[in-house]
Amino acid sequence: CGLCQRAEHDPELFGQTCQQDGLRVHENCLYHASGLSQRGADDEGFFGFLLPDIQQELQRVARKVCCICRQRGASVQCRGRRCPRTFHFPCGSERGCVSQFFGEFRSFCWRHRPAQRVRALPQAQPLCAICLEAVPGRPSYNVLLCPACTGARFHRRCIQSQALRAALHHFRCPVCQDVQTFQAEMFRLGIKIPDRDAAWEEDGAFQELYQRHRSCNAQQCQCPLGREQSEDNG
Protein backbone atom coordinates (compact mmCIF):
# COMPACT_ATOMS: atom_id res chain seq x y z
CA CYS A 1 0.00 0.00 0.00
CA GLY A 2 1.38 3.40 -0.96
CA LEU A 3 0.09 4.99 2.25
CA CYS A 4 0.91 2.45 4.98
CA GLN A 5 3.72 0.58 3.16
CA ARG A 6 2.25 -2.81 4.08
CA ALA A 7 1.52 -5.72 1.78
CA GLU A 8 -1.11 -7.37 4.00
CA HIS A 9 -4.68 -7.45 2.71
CA ASP A 10 -6.79 -8.54 5.70
CA PRO A 11 -10.15 -6.93 4.79
CA GLU A 12 -11.23 -6.66 8.44
CA LEU A 13 -8.30 -4.33 9.14
CA PHE A 14 -7.46 -2.72 5.81
CA GLY A 15 -10.74 -2.90 3.89
CA GLN A 16 -10.51 -3.54 0.17
CA THR A 17 -7.22 -3.22 -1.70
CA CYS A 18 -7.45 -0.82 -4.66
CA GLN A 19 -5.02 -1.00 -7.54
CA GLN A 20 -4.82 0.95 -10.79
CA ASP A 21 -2.06 2.38 -13.02
CA GLY A 22 0.66 1.13 -10.69
CA LEU A 23 -1.00 2.71 -7.62
CA ARG A 24 -1.99 0.38 -4.79
CA VAL A 25 -3.72 1.55 -1.58
CA HIS A 26 -5.94 0.12 1.15
CA GLU A 27 -9.51 1.38 1.47
CA ASN A 28 -9.24 2.28 5.17
CA CYS A 29 -5.91 4.05 4.63
CA LEU A 30 -7.65 6.25 2.07
CA TYR A 31 -10.55 7.19 4.31
CA HIS A 32 -8.28 8.26 7.16
CA ALA A 33 -5.53 10.06 5.25
CA SER A 34 -5.76 13.54 6.76
CA GLY A 35 -5.00 15.39 3.53
CA LEU A 36 -7.48 13.55 1.32
CA SER A 37 -11.10 14.33 0.50
CA GLN A 38 -13.58 12.62 -1.82
CA ARG A 39 -13.95 15.01 -4.73
CA GLY A 40 -15.26 12.47 -7.23
CA ALA A 41 -18.39 10.41 -7.65
CA ASP A 42 -18.60 7.00 -5.99
CA ASP A 43 -17.53 5.25 -9.22
CA GLU A 44 -14.56 7.57 -9.86
CA GLY A 45 -11.03 6.73 -8.74
CA PHE A 46 -11.02 4.68 -5.53
CA PHE A 47 -14.30 5.14 -3.63
CA GLY A 48 -14.52 8.73 -4.89
CA PHE A 49 -10.88 9.57 -4.14
CA LEU A 50 -9.35 10.76 -7.40
CA LEU A 51 -5.99 9.34 -8.43
CA PRO A 52 -4.25 12.76 -8.80
CA ASP A 53 -5.38 13.64 -5.27
CA ILE A 54 -3.98 10.36 -3.94
CA GLN A 55 -0.66 11.01 -5.65
CA GLN A 56 -0.56 14.47 -4.11
CA GLU A 57 -1.25 13.01 -0.66
CA LEU A 58 1.59 10.51 -1.11
CA GLN A 59 3.94 13.40 -1.78
CA ARG A 60 2.63 15.34 1.24
CA VAL A 61 3.25 12.52 3.72
CA ALA A 62 6.52 11.27 2.21
CA ARG A 63 8.56 12.90 4.99
CA LYS A 64 6.09 12.52 7.87
CA VAL A 65 7.31 9.99 10.43
CA CYS A 66 4.92 7.55 12.11
CA CYS A 67 5.07 8.01 15.89
CA ILE A 68 4.63 4.25 16.35
CA CYS A 69 6.84 2.44 13.83
CA ARG A 70 9.14 5.45 13.17
CA GLN A 71 8.89 4.92 9.40
CA ARG A 72 7.99 7.64 6.90
CA GLY A 73 4.69 8.06 5.10
CA ALA A 74 2.42 8.62 8.12
CA SER A 75 -0.86 9.96 6.73
CA VAL A 76 -3.20 9.84 9.76
CA GLN A 77 -3.25 12.88 12.03
CA CYS A 78 -4.62 12.73 15.58
CA ARG A 79 -7.55 15.13 15.98
CA GLY A 80 -6.91 15.68 19.67
CA ARG A 81 -6.39 19.29 20.65
CA ARG A 82 -2.85 20.42 19.77
CA CYS A 83 -1.71 16.81 19.35
CA PRO A 84 1.17 16.49 16.85
CA ARG A 85 1.04 12.70 16.50
CA THR A 86 0.81 11.18 13.02
CA PHE A 87 0.75 7.48 12.25
CA HIS A 88 -0.06 4.86 9.64
CA PHE A 89 -3.61 3.53 9.87
CA PRO A 90 -2.65 -0.11 10.70
CA CYS A 91 0.01 1.05 13.17
CA GLY A 92 -2.67 3.07 14.95
CA SER A 93 -5.00 0.07 15.13
CA GLU A 94 -2.25 -2.04 16.69
CA ARG A 95 -1.27 0.66 19.20
CA GLY A 96 -4.80 1.40 20.42
CA CYS A 97 -5.66 4.45 18.32
CA VAL A 98 -9.28 4.98 17.24
CA SER A 99 -10.31 5.88 13.69
CA GLN A 100 -14.00 6.64 13.24
CA PHE A 101 -15.93 5.56 10.15
CA PHE A 102 -18.62 8.25 10.07
CA GLY A 103 -18.92 12.02 9.69
CA GLU A 104 -15.48 13.54 9.20
CA PHE A 105 -13.70 10.16 9.63
CA ARG A 106 -11.64 11.53 12.52
CA SER A 107 -8.72 9.66 14.10
CA PHE A 108 -7.34 9.84 17.62
CA CYS A 109 -4.11 8.58 19.16
CA TRP A 110 -4.05 6.35 22.25
CA ARG A 111 -4.02 9.40 24.56
CA HIS A 112 -6.99 11.21 22.98
CA ARG A 113 -9.19 8.34 21.82
CA PRO A 114 -12.84 8.28 22.96
CA ALA A 115 -13.49 6.02 25.94
CA GLN A 116 -16.60 4.46 27.44
CA ARG A 117 -17.97 5.93 30.67
CA VAL A 118 -20.66 3.29 31.15
CA ARG A 119 -20.78 1.41 34.44
CA ALA A 120 -20.93 -2.29 33.65
CA LEU A 121 -23.29 -4.65 35.42
CA PRO A 122 -21.30 -6.81 37.85
CA GLN A 123 -20.74 -10.37 36.63
CA ALA A 124 -18.86 -13.19 38.36
CA GLN A 125 -17.17 -14.35 35.15
CA PRO A 126 -17.55 -11.77 32.35
CA LEU A 127 -17.60 -13.36 28.90
CA CYS A 128 -17.55 -11.96 25.39
CA ALA A 129 -21.11 -12.27 24.12
CA ILE A 130 -19.83 -13.39 20.71
CA CYS A 131 -16.88 -15.76 21.22
CA LEU A 132 -17.78 -16.65 24.86
CA GLU A 133 -14.17 -16.24 25.99
CA ALA A 134 -13.32 -14.42 29.22
CA VAL A 135 -12.99 -10.62 29.11
CA PRO A 136 -11.97 -8.05 31.75
CA GLY A 137 -14.82 -6.59 33.77
CA ARG A 138 -14.16 -2.97 32.82
CA PRO A 139 -14.41 -1.52 29.30
CA SER A 140 -11.14 -0.70 27.55
CA TYR A 141 -9.82 -0.31 24.02
CA ASN A 142 -10.08 -4.06 23.38
CA VAL A 143 -13.25 -4.67 25.42
CA LEU A 144 -16.41 -2.78 24.48
CA LEU A 145 -19.69 -2.59 26.39
CA CYS A 146 -23.25 -2.24 25.10
CA PRO A 147 -24.46 1.16 26.37
CA ALA A 148 -28.10 0.06 26.31
CA CYS A 149 -28.09 -3.06 28.47
CA THR A 150 -24.63 -2.46 30.10
CA GLY A 151 -24.31 -6.20 30.53
CA ALA A 152 -23.09 -7.31 27.12
CA ARG A 153 -19.32 -7.23 26.63
CA PHE A 154 -17.38 -7.87 23.42
CA HIS A 155 -13.80 -8.13 22.24
CA ARG A 156 -13.18 -5.32 19.76
CA ARG A 157 -12.14 -7.85 17.11
CA CYS A 158 -15.33 -9.88 17.68
CA ILE A 159 -17.77 -6.98 17.42
CA GLN A 160 -15.89 -5.59 14.40
CA SER A 161 -16.23 -8.92 12.60
CA GLN A 162 -19.94 -8.99 13.37
CA ALA A 163 -20.40 -5.40 12.18
CA LEU A 164 -18.77 -6.18 8.82
CA ARG A 165 -21.08 -9.15 8.29
CA ALA A 166 -24.34 -7.73 9.63
CA ALA A 167 -23.71 -4.22 8.21
CA LEU A 168 -25.83 -1.16 8.95
CA HIS A 169 -29.20 -2.76 8.21
CA HIS A 170 -28.84 -5.66 10.67
CA PHE A 171 -26.11 -4.67 13.16
CA ARG A 172 -27.38 -4.61 16.76
CA CYS A 173 -26.46 -5.71 20.25
CA PRO A 174 -26.59 -9.52 20.16
CA VAL A 175 -27.87 -9.59 23.75
CA CYS A 176 -30.52 -6.86 24.14
CA GLN A 177 -31.10 -6.29 20.38
CA ASP A 178 -30.82 -2.50 20.76
CA VAL A 179 -29.99 -0.78 17.45
CA GLN A 180 -29.88 3.02 17.64
CA THR A 181 -27.96 3.55 20.89
CA PHE A 182 -25.71 0.57 20.22
CA GLN A 183 -24.74 1.61 16.68
CA ALA A 184 -24.04 5.21 17.71
CA GLU A 185 -21.69 4.04 20.46
CA MET A 186 -19.89 1.55 18.23
CA PHE A 187 -19.41 4.23 15.56
CA ARG A 188 -17.95 6.57 18.20
CA LEU A 189 -15.52 3.91 19.39
CA GLY A 190 -14.15 3.25 15.89
CA ILE A 191 -16.14 0.21 14.76
CA LYS A 192 -16.65 0.16 10.99
CA ILE A 193 -20.29 -0.54 10.06
CA PRO A 194 -20.71 -0.70 6.26
CA ASP A 195 -23.80 0.97 4.79
CA ARG A 196 -25.16 -2.05 2.91
CA ASP A 197 -27.27 -5.15 3.46
CA ALA A 198 -25.97 -8.05 5.52
CA ALA A 199 -23.46 -10.43 3.97
CA TRP A 200 -25.92 -13.31 4.27
CA GLU A 201 -28.48 -11.38 2.19
CA GLU A 202 -26.12 -10.60 -0.68
CA ASP A 203 -25.86 -12.59 -3.91
CA GLY A 204 -29.15 -14.35 -3.24
CA ALA A 205 -27.66 -16.59 -0.57
CA PHE A 206 -31.13 -17.39 0.83
CA GLN A 207 -33.12 -16.97 -2.36
CA GLU A 208 -34.47 -20.53 -2.14
CA LEU A 209 -36.30 -19.62 1.07
CA TYR A 210 -38.50 -17.24 -0.92
CA GLN A 211 -39.48 -19.90 -3.47
CA ARG A 212 -42.75 -21.67 -2.91
CA HIS A 213 -42.74 -25.45 -3.14
CA ARG A 214 -45.16 -26.49 -5.93
CA SER A 215 -44.67 -30.22 -6.42
CA CYS A 216 -45.83 -33.21 -4.42
CA ASN A 217 -43.05 -35.43 -3.00
CA ALA A 218 -45.17 -38.37 -1.88
CA GLN A 219 -44.12 -41.74 -3.32
CA GLN A 220 -47.68 -42.28 -4.54
CA CYS A 221 -49.39 -38.95 -5.24
CA GLN A 222 -53.18 -39.29 -4.99
CA CYS A 223 -54.07 -35.91 -6.43
CA PRO A 224 -56.27 -36.56 -9.51
CA LEU A 225 -54.72 -33.57 -11.31
CA GLY A 226 -51.10 -34.74 -10.79
CA ARG A 227 -48.05 -33.76 -8.77
CA GLU A 228 -47.77 -30.26 -10.23
CA GLN A 229 -51.30 -29.21 -9.20
CA SER A 230 -51.25 -26.44 -6.58
CA GLU A 231 -53.75 -24.04 -5.06
CA ASP A 232 -53.19 -20.50 -3.88
CA ASN A 233 -54.77 -21.35 -0.54
CA GLY A 234 -55.08 -24.46 1.56
Side-chain angles (χ1 to χ4, degrees):
C1 170
L3 287 169
C4 72
Q5 306 301 316
R6 297 202 189 191
E8 297 99 319
H9 55 273
D10 178 5
E12 292 200 1
L13 175 60
F14 299 98
Q16 298 183 33
T17 301
C18 309
Q19 188 168 354
Q20 183 178 331
D21 298 336
L23 179 63
R24 179 185 175 94
V25 288
H26 294 129
E27 175 188 359
N28 292 345
C29 294
L30 282 173
Y31 278 115
H32 294 288
S34 300
L36 267 179
S37 59
Q38 292 170 297
R39 300 194 306 114
D42 291 342
D43 57 349
E44 291 184 283
F46 299 151
F47 302 101
F49 295 99
L50 302 180
L51 300 189
D53 293 344
I54 299 174
Q55 295 286 4
Q56 185 175 353
E57 176 69 357
L58 291 174
Q59 296 176 8
R60 184 186 74 85
V61 303
R63 295 182 178 273
K64 291 186 176 294
V65 177
C66 174
C67 65
I68 300 170
C69 72
R70 315 309 299 179
Q71 300 297 315
R72 296 183 184 274
S75 60
V76 185
Q77 173 72 48
C78 175
R79 296 291 291 273
R81 185 178 181 182
R82 298 179 181 177
C83 182
R85 292 187 179 91
T86 57
F87 46 90
H88 301 112
F89 173 79
C91 292
S93 298
E94 294 167 357
R95 179 62 176 82
C97 303
V98 165
S99 293
Q100 298 174 334
F101 288 87
F102 73 100
E104 298 178 0
F105 284 73
R106 300 185 300 171
S107 294
F108 302 90
C109 70
W110 58 93
R111 288 184 178 269
H112 300 108
R113 69 191 182 204
Q116 288 194 285
R117 305 299 182 189
V118 181
R119 179 175 294 181
L121 291 176
Q123 295 179 1
Q125 294 181 333
L127 301 177
C128 172
I130 298 176
C131 72
L132 301 182
E133 293 184 0
V135 295
R138 295 182 179 180
S140 64
Y141 174 76
N142 288 312
V143 178
L144 308 184
L145 190 71
C146 173
C149 63
T150 68
R153 296 170 173 84
F154 324 95
H155 292 112
R156 174 177 286 270
R157 66 178 183 274
C158 293
I159 200 64
Q160 179 60 87
S161 294
Q162 178 165 315
L164 292 175
R165 286 159 179 76
L168 191 65
H169 299 178
H170 295 273
F171 184 55
R172 62 193 67 204
C173 173
V175 176
C176 71
Q177 301 298 304
D178 180 84
V179 176
Q180 186 172 358
T181 304
F182 181 71
Q183 286 191 2
E185 181 74 343
M186 294 301 107
F187 267 130
R188 187 180 73 89
L189 297 173
I191 298 301
K192 182 179 181 180
I193 313 173
D195 187 5
R196 54 167 170 77
D197 208 345
W200 57 80
E201 293 286 354
E202 294 184 341
D203 300 325
F206 292 90
Q207 188 63 36
E208 67 274 7
L209 298 181
Y210 301 100
Q211 297 177 0
R212 185 175 178 180
H213 189 66
R214 292 185 176 274
S215 178
C216 174
N217 293 107
Q219 185 174 2
Q220 292 184 349
C221 177
Q222 298 186 26
C223 177
L225 297 179
R227 293 181 179 274
E228 304 302 321
Q229 172 65 17
S230 64
E231 298 290 344
D232 290 335
N233 298 303

